[in-house]
Amino acid sequence: MYSGLALVAAVPLVLSPYYVYVANLALVYVILAVGLNIVLGYTGQLAFSNGAIFGIGAYATGLLRLDLGIPYGLALPAGAVVATIAGVLMALPAMRLRGLYLALATIAFAQFTVWVFVHWDGLTHGTSGFVLKPVDFSPLPVTPPTGLLYLSLIITVACVALASNMLRSPIGRAFVAIRESEHAAAALSVNLTRYKVYAYGASALYAGIAGGLFVGAVGAVVPDQFGLFQIVLQFCMVFVGGIGSLWGSVLGAVLIIGIQEGMRDLKQFQEIGFGALLLAVILFFPSGIVGWLKTRVAGWSEPLRHGDRED
Amino acid sequence: MEQLKRILRASVVLAAALGIAASAQAEEGVTDTTIKIGTMGALTGPLAGIIVPQFNGIEIVFEEANAAGGIHGRKIVFVREDDECLPSKGVGAVKKLLYEARPFMIVGGGCSNAAIAQKPEIVAAKVPWVVTAATADALSEPVDPYVYTTMSAAWTEVYGMLQLALDEKKSRIAVVWQPDAWGKARIEPLKEALKKKGVTAIAIEEVAVEPTDLTPTALKLKALNPDAVLMLLYPKAAVPFLRDSMKVGLQPLAIGGSPLVEIDQMAKGAGSVEAVKNVRVIAAAGFGVDDPQVAKWKEKIEKRFGDRFNLYHMFGIAGGQFVVEALKRAGRDLTRERILAVMSTMQMSSDAYAGPLKCTPADHQCHKTLGIFALKDGRVSGVGSTTPTR
Amino acid sequence: MLLAYVIATGITTGALYALVAVGLVICYRTTGHINFSHGELFMVGGFLAFTLHVLLGVPYVPSLVLAVLGGGLLGLLSDRLVYRPLISAPATAMVVATVALSFVLRGVARYLWGGQGEYVPFPPIADPSAVMIGPIAVFPQQLVVVASTVLCMALVTLFFRLTRTGKTMKAVAESPRAAYLVGIRVERVYAMTWSLSAALAAVSAVFMAPLTQLTPDIGFGLLLKAFAATILGGLGNMPGAVVGGFVVGIAEAFAAGYISSSVQEVMAFIIIMLVLVLRPTGLFGVKAAREV
């Protein structure tokens, strides 16, 4: 893991600004995937709202910087808080729903959110979105992209560590209990509502943080960026890594961003290349990469990994 | 003898030093035999259908120049990157271009969603950028020394559309528009134009970007009895609008912008030529796709790419010709300063536009003359041209 | 007057969504998976018909038949390449696999048909001039859409009720294991399911193409609507999916007519959200069987 960190930290020193950007994007998606996994993989909730919450975090951070002149260091956490609140509010009506019904309700919420981004012109600047100045890291001697990469790295490590701890704690066990059987969990006096709120809240917090970092890296916000396609991609990251595996999400995010960027040279055939490669990956690793690793690497264990289900 | 050797040695060293200095001064993206030109745009995603033809148009012009021996002995290498018209992918595309491919200049791009994020990078890297089809006036105004556009600005088209309605003595003018980035970039200047001409639109209706049915909108407008409708729409919305308007008996003068120039295709989609009988289009292109003026390009495009020749190819062709001409005029000693200086006062005619491309140091929106089109005998024909002012 | 038009539009688009939803439901009921490339199957079917009818000049009905056959073949191919290898994999693998397939189909469609331009017109099968039904003008194509949907629904129902293949599909849907035990070739049934589902998508595309736009990117949006219709009607319930489709179509039409055209997309989803809050198992869903 430390070698991974060292590798990322070395990118700005060795590779061109393009790779700095790609690394940054990968970190953003790592945070997103880890957050999504909390609610999807560990708690078993088919929530399609992560993309929209990601967007809310991005818009919040961006607008605070643009329209209120708040510096990035404050706008980022503030945006994350806004996203968390939105995520928790969204979770409340979702309590009653299960399975694909929950999926549909969260899809509806996501569509509605993008519609608001587009039509609430006065607040969000509408369909054309807005552009921001690069984040200023002075007095530190780093360029904005490099500074942002290191910031993202630090935040990503913190997020992963936090998630790891949470999942090993009684909270994590409660999540898994809910996933395996809500009735049993309730029978064991697990407060379903409370823990579901924690799960949605955690995932929203992560999505909000990711949104703020995203805004810093890209420098522009448009509504199109946060449509349902976003969440489908995030799902794929979680599944390819291995659902219910924290490190799986990290791997999945890095892999998929890597494939996406790597396919650039295929130009107009990128979609075919990306789809074919993604298909190949899942055909070879149907339980996700971590699922495969578990069968190959002796002693690989992760607490409360999603067990293999038999039909 | 010893003296001679010393002189010889010194001259060799001097020659070598000069040689190194000379190649060190060669501009980025330019070698002895090549000029690398980059572009970024939607190669995939919903806007690919509009962007890729432009790039094909640019490339066909470059290939023709290369086939004729290149520009001052250099052939153009055209590099494309995909941005899917999204900022996140766009920043990656522009950084990959600028820091990996390292082109001499960038020709193309301009899909506004991505461009707003890309422009700061390009300008900071001091790379000349010729936008061949901008949707956002914000790209070319205010004037930036590095950014030129060979596409008419959004305001030009809508001022032209309004003027056409007024020239036809229409007074009950309605507007339908689609609330995406493209539509937004046009409704604002149109409102400004209406104000300037002292005209109040009887209705300004928003329609979905991809509607299946616009009967309610048509009914709403019919109740207001317009004699002209300005359509700030793409065919996806314009065709249902024209079709459903005809259905309910509403057929005023319908004026559209560039994307609607293929009136014959729209007629097919709407089901009949009747539906488009009152359609006029103000387009950045100068000629219809079947016009003999562009026949040579049509043939080349169809042969090389298998595309159905359309107006987006023409935008690329005009932009490509502009760049080739600028490169020629900049001379063999090619630097970015030289080409920027050349472009700042350049005037030339392209094969695809009705009027000249003309830039001034204060105005980098080089394309001001639009064509007016209507459907005559089943073919899209130019019925005039206009150079709107504001 | 407006109401009549709104209902007419709602029924037309609703019929389209219903047909696409039924294709999705057939796949879901038999295999237990939501096919994320279903929208792309629709899109490819439409383009196949376009190539045959518009580019090659093949008459309408043979184009329809060939496009549907092509769609069915594509379904078979998907089964071979994507589903068969993942039969015993977790459900999550199928999600990724069908998403990946949707990318491939989209990319191929863009390569083959992208050069046609961003607007691809498809002429209607019937005379394009509107006919009067009561106070409102209606395009014959709209009637064709509704009629063909009803016809397809009838055929599909008869298929499941009367033919052997249909019955084996139902058997597999109920319990693959039991089907195995009585000697049903389950893999064959899965292949047939994919094929039928894709063919239905192609049929809807061919009839709807004259009324809507045909681009490589229409798949995802359509999938969402079909998904919404399916769930609205109660999961895995074919008649429910049909009703769900009409509900979505009519909700959209009402939103477009009475609120604003630009609201129509999101309105459908608002309505869905409300329905689910009030009735968490959809309009017709049976209460979730004991899930302990």
Side-chain angles (χ1 to χ4, degrees):
Chain A
M1 174 180 110
Y2 295 113
S3 46
L5 288 179
L7 270 173
V8 176
V11 166
L13 307 167
V14 178
L15 296 171
S16 77
Y18 166 62
Y19 289 100
V20 172
Y21 174 73
V22 173
N24 208 342
L25 209 58
L27 289 173
V28 167
Y29 277 93
V30 164
I31 299 176
L32 272 170
V34 167
L36 180 62
N37 205 357
I38 293 174
V39 80
L40 176 67
Y42 279 91
T43 321
Q45 303 293 304
L46 265 179
F48 275 74
S49 42
N50 222 35
I53 310 281
F54 176 48
I56 292 178
Y59 265 96
T61 306
L63 291 171
L64 286 170
R65 271 190 78 201
L66 184 74
D67 291 333
L68 294 180
I70 295 178
Y72 189 64
L74 287 174
L76 176 57
V81 167
V82 171
T84 311
I85 295 174
V88 168
L89 283 177
M90 190 238 79
L92 300 174
M95 292 299 156
R96 296 179 60 191
L97 301 168
R98 310 254 358 259
L100 286 173
Y101 302 103
L102 174 64
L104 187 54
T106 47
I107 288 175
F109 167 77
Q111 291 284 68
F112 179 68
T113 308
V114 174
W115 186 87
V116 168
F117 289 158
V118 169
H119 283 89
W120 195 355
D121 270 44
L123 179 70
T124 65
H125 302 264
T127 45
S128 21
F130 54 89
V131 67
L132 294 160
K133 290 207 187 30
V135 179
D136 194 2
F137 282 93
S138 56
L140 294 170
V142 286
T143 61
T146 308
L148 198 69
L149 178 66
Y150 288 141
L151 178 66
S152 303
L153 190 56
I154 296 169
I155 292 181
T156 306
V157 169
C159 284
V160 172
L162 182 66
S164 181
N165 280 338
M166 178 171 66
L167 292 167
R168 281 170 213 259
S169 75
I171 299 180
R173 288 197 279 278
F175 288 163
V176 176
I178 295 177
R179 173 186 81 206
E180 298 298 328
S181 164
E182 284 198 23
H183 294 283
L188 290 169
S189 68
V190 171
N191 186 328
L192 290 179
T193 310
R194 194 194 323 162
Y195 284 100
K196 278 189 186 177
V197 169
Y198 286 166
Y200 280 102
S203 127
L205 175 66
Y206 278 43
I209 294 173
L213 288 173
F214 183 76
V215 164
V218 175
V221 180
V222 302
D224 275 347
Q225 196 90 58
F226 305 110
L228 275 161
F229 207 70
Q230 194 38 258
I231 186 73
V232 170
L233 205 63
Q234 290 173 32
F235 266 61
C236 287
M237 291 176 184
V238 170
F239 294 160
V240 161
I243 189 174
S245 158
L246 185 62
W247 290 104
S249 306
V250 174
L251 265 171
V254 170
L255 187 67
I256 289 199
I257 294 291
I259 295 178
Q260 248 194 348
E261 290 295 318
M263 288 287 133
R264 269 192 187 279
D265 286 332
L266 290 182
K267 309 289 174 191
Q268 66 258 44
F269 300 113
Q270 273 173 82
E271 289 169 309
I272 303 177
F274 178 76
L277 197 51
L278 190 60
L279 188 59
V281 166
I282 203 70
L283 284 174
F284 280 108
F285 306 109
S287 307
I289 294 180
V290 166
W292 176 83
L293 278 174
K294 195 177 180 219
T295 60
R296 288 312 173 98
V297 176
W300 177 293
S301 76
E302 233 180 299
L304 309 172
R305 244 206 88 246
H306 193 293
D308 299 31
R309 277 259 173 93
E310 252 207 49
D311 276 293
Chain B
M1 201 51 207
E2 205 49 64
Q3 193 78 309
L4 193 58
K5 271 198 208 160
R6 233 176 269 154
I7 292 171
L8 271 170
R9 225 176 289 150
S11 348
V12 169
V13 172
L14 186 59
L18 281 172
I20 292 171
S23 53
Q25 260 165 26
E27 188 66 273
E28 177 173 88
V30 180
T31 70
D32 263 358
T33 51
T34 61
I35 305 171
K36 192 183 280 191
I37 296 187
T39 191
M40 64 271 159
L43 303 181
T44 62
L47 277 99
I50 296 171
I51 301 286
V52 172
Q54 283 179 53
F55 293 172
N56 290 349
I58 297 173
E59 191 158 356
I60 206 94
V61 169
F62 288 172
E63 282 181 0
E64 198 191 50
N66 286 350
I71 299 171
H72 300 299
R74 293 187 177 108
K75 304 224 167 160
I76 301 179
V77 173
F78 191 47
V79 177
R80 310 186 191 196
E81 280 295 343
D82 182 26
D83 66 19
E84 240 179 286
C85 204
L86 288 174
S88 64
K89 197 133 188 226
V91 171
V94 80
K95 285 193 193 229
K96 184 150 193 236
L97 263 185
L98 292 174
Y99 303 114
E100 300 283 316
R102 298 183 182 274
F104 170 67
M105 65 188 291
I106 295 181
V107 177
C111 185
S112 73
N113 272 353
I116 53 172
Q118 294 162 335
K119 184 177 169 187
E121 286 282 338
I122 298 174
V123 167
K126 298 199 177 25
V127 172
W129 183 19
V130 176
V131 184
T132 53
T135 52
D137 287 353
L139 287 179
S140 47
E141 354 178 299
V143 139
D144 187 294
Y146 293 96
V147 183
Y148 285 79
T149 174
T150 57
M151 170 65 167
S152 53
W155 69 262
T156 327
E157 241 172 60
V158 299
Y159 271 73
M161 284 164 70
L162 179 60
Q163 194 55 49
L164 185 63
L166 295 175
D167 288 344
E168 299 281 329
K169 310 276 187 285
K170 304 298 180 190
S171 54
R172 300 188 56 76
I173 298 176
V175 177
V176 286
W177 69 290
Q178 55 187 49
D180 62 352
W182 181 91
K184 270 299 236 0
R186 276 161 179 70
I187 192 70
E188 296 305 320
L190 182 59
K191 285 183 181 164
E192 177 193 289
L194 286 163
K195 214 158 143 197
K196 275 203 178 155
K197 309 274 180 184
V199 176
T200 314
I202 60 171
I204 298 186
E205 276 298 304
E206 235 179 75
V207 299
V209 178
E210 293 183 5
T212 43
D213 184 280
L214 285 175
T215 317
T217 309
L219 284 174
K220 215 184 271 190
L221 288 183
K222 181 152 186 242
L224 297 168
N225 199 22
D227 51 19
V229 173
L230 303 182
M231 304 184 286
L232 301 180
L233 303 172
Y234 265 76
K236 286 179 206 158
V239 166
F241 177 70
L242 291 167
R243 176 195 71 199
D244 294 331
S245 295
M246 178 177 83
K247 184 170 80 174
V248 304
L250 172 76
Q251 287 204 281
L253 174 64
I255 303 177
S258 282
L260 303 186
V261 80
E262 296 200 276
I263 309 178
D264 52 348
Q265 295 282 93
M266 292 208 295
K268 271 196 209 147
S272 76
V273 169
E274 259 302 291
V276 301
K277 69 180 181 193
N278 287 334
V279 171
R280 297 282 176 282
V281 171
I282 306 258
F287 310 98
V289 297
D290 292 317
D291 198 304
Q293 273 282 82
V294 291
K296 132 178 171 188
W297 293 111
K298 177 169 183 214
E299 199 195 312
K300 288 192 176 204
I301 290 273
E302 283 174 1
K303 199 156 149 223
R304 168 79 170 82
F305 294 106
D307 290 347
R308 188 177 62 81
F309 188 64
N310 59 42
L311 110 154
Y312 299 103
H313 292 109
M314 289 195 235
F315 295 161
I317 289 166
Q321 290 184 316
F322 178 83
V323 168
V324 164
E325 186 59 30
L327 287 169
K328 284 196 181 131
R329 295 189 195 178
R332 171 79 193 169
D333 177 24
L334 188 60
T335 65
R336 287 180 177 144
E337 280 99 71
R338 274 299 292 150
I339 197 143
L340 287 170
V342 163
M343 291 196 294
S344 70
T345 53
M346 198 155 108
Q347 180 167 342
M348 61 156 290
S349 291
S350 75
D351 287 344
Y353 289 159
L357 286 166
K358 180 165 176 229
C359 319
T360 69
D363 185 359
H364 289 185
Q365 292 172 347
C366 310
H367 178 38
K368 295 278 194 328
T369 310
L370 311 176
I372 309 177
F373 297 87
L375 196 66
K376 293 212 174 330
D377 303 319
R379 296 189 143 208
V380 176
S381 318
V383 296
S385 65
T386 168
T387 310
T389 53
R390 71 167 153 187
Chain C
M1 173 83 141
L2 179 62
L3 181 64
Y5 272 115
V6 162
I7 293 176
T9 306
I11 293 178
T12 314
T13 43
L16 162 76
Y17 297 152
L19 208 49
V20 178
V22 167
L24 199 63
V25 163
I26 288 177
C27 203
Y28 176 72
R29 271 194 70 182
T30 314
T31 67
H33 297 297
I34 297 266
N35 179 5
F36 275 80
S37 59
H38 195 69
E40 273 68 33
L41 293 173
F42 171 95
M43 179 268 293
V44 171
F47 271 114
L48 280 175
F50 169 77
T51 305
L52 291 164
H53 185 50
V54 178
L55 293 180
L56 299 176
V58 176
Y60 195 88
V61 174
S63 298
L64 167 65
V65 170
L66 285 170
V68 172
L69 281 176
L73 255 144
L74 193 56
L76 272 177
L77 200 66
S78 318
D79 171 66
R80 259 319 159 82
L81 283 177
V82 171
Y83 185 59
R84 212 60 90 75
L86 290 174
I87 253 183
S88 42
T92 59
M94 268 307 278
V95 172
V96 177
T98 49
V99 168
L101 185 62
S102 78
F103 269 96
V104 173
L105 288 174
R106 215 172 19 253
V108 170
R110 210 184 298 284
Y111 172 66
L112 291 175
W113 293 292
Q116 287 300 313
E118 63 99 29
Y119 178 68
V120 170
F122 196 102
I125 179 181
D127 178 354
S129 19
V131 296
M132 298 304 290
I133 296 195
I136 59 171
V138 166
F139 287 116
Q141 189 67 27
Q142 290 177 276
L143 300 171
V144 167
V145 168
V146 178
S148 54
T149 305
V150 170
L151 186 63
C152 277
M153 290 292 89
L155 285 173
V156 166
T157 315
L158 287 175
F159 170 78
F160 277 111
R161 204 166 281 188
L162 298 178
T163 68
R164 194 133 170 268
T165 327
K167 290 189 198 168
T168 50
M169 275 173 74
K170 272 170 51 174
V172 170
E174 272 204 41
S175 166
R177 270 210 190 129
Y180 248 131
L181 290 173
V182 300
I184 292 178
R185 302 271 292 275
V186 175
E187 280 88 22
R188 277 253 189 95
V189 172
Y190 286 148
M192 268 253 37
T193 307
W194 277 75
S195 198
L196 178 63
S197 162
L200 275 174
V203 169
S204 6
V206 173
F207 287 118
M208 202 53 183
L211 290 174
T212 186
Q213 67 284 339
L214 201 55
T215 71
D217 297 286
I218 54 177
F220 190 67
L222 196 63
L223 175 72
L224 282 180
K225 307 239 177 96
F227 190 63
T230 312
I231 297 179
L232 206 54
L235 237 39
N237 191 320
M238 254 206 299
V242 171
V243 174
F246 279 104
V247 169
V248 174
I250 292 178
E252 249 184 37
F254 266 85
Y258 287 103
I259 308 178
S260 136
S261 170
S262 55
V263 168
Q264 61 180 7
E265 285 277 318
V266 77
M267 214 45 211
F269 282 99
I270 304 280
I271 293 178
I272 288 159
M273 260 200 316
L274 290 173
V275 168
L276 284 175
V277 164
L278 297 172
R279 271 195 72 108
T281 54
L283 296 171
F284 295 102
V286 285
K287 272 193 75 177
R290 37 165 252 126
E291 280 186 59
V292 176

